[in-house]
């Protein structure tokens, strides 16, 4: 087998691979370069992410504290309100603290009693 015939055979194989890719709707990549096609095939996840995270509620801390000063008493603690909001969002996602008696220590104690 001569070098010329080997080159023509390799060129023929490339041409067949190119036509096959065109027929079956695949990408023709003879050099094997990274294209990122696998990322594009995964689909868009934006809506799923938006449904997972609850909408952020804007609390204006200055207005709340001024209202308390105007009424002459301390009605709201903005930091406490923020903390409670964070806890509610965590619980909604299932990331909150366990109920009393259902933590790690309680589970270990139950196992020992058995």
């Amino acid at each position: 087998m001569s070098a010329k015939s080997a080159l023509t055979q390799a060129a023929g194989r490339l041409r067949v691979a190119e036509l096959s890719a065109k027929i079956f709707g695949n990408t023709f990549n003879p050099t094997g370069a990274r294209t990122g096609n696998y990322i594009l095939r995964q689909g868009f996840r934006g809506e799923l992410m938006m449904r997972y995270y609850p909408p952020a509620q804007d609390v204006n801390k200055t207005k709340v504290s001024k209202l308390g000063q105007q009424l002459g008493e301390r009605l709201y603690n903005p930091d406490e309100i923020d903390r409670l909001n964070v806890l509610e969002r965590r619980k909604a996602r299932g990331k909150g603290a366990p109920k009393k008696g259902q933590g790690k220590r309680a589970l270990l104690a139950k196992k020992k009693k058995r």
Side-chain angles (χ1 to χ4, degrees):
M1 186 186 246
S2 68
K4 186 177 181 182
S5 65
L7 285 176
T8 56
Q9 284 182 353
R13 279 195 219 106
L14 277 177
R15 181 72 181 140
V16 169
E18 184 179 4
L19 288 173
S20 172
K22 190 181 280 188
I23 291 170
F24 294 111
N26 297 330
T27 55
F28 178 64
N29 189 1
T31 59
R34 298 175 73 177
T35 61
N37 234 5
Y38 65 99
I39 292 173
L40 297 174
R41 276 187 266 130
Q42 286 177 0
F44 185 62
R45 289 185 279 201
E47 290 221 11
L48 181 69
M49 300 286 256
M50 293 302 289
R51 277 186 277 146
Y52 179 78
Y53 293 106
Q57 295 177 352
D58 189 28
V59 176
N60 194 339
K61 295 179 183 179
T62 56
K63 284 186 180 178
V64 172
S65 61
K66 284 181 183 177
L67 176 67
Q69 290 172 0
Q70 288 173 355
L71 295 176
E73 58 187 77
R74 191 171 180 190
L75 293 177
Y76 300 103
N77 182 356
D79 296 329
E80 182 66 13
I81 291 171
D82 286 347
R83 186 185 73 82
L84 292 174
N85 286 337
V86 167
L87 288 176
E88 283 177 12
R89 281 182 276 167
R90 281 185 181 169
K91 281 187 182 180
R93 290 188 323 204
K95 304 286 185 179
K99 292 181 183 177
K100 190 172 182 179
Q102 294 182 355
K104 283 185 180 178
R105 281 191 181 174
L107 292 177
L108 289 174
K110 285 181 185 176
K111 283 183 183 177
K112 284 185 179 179
K113 285 183 182 178
R114 289 183 181 176

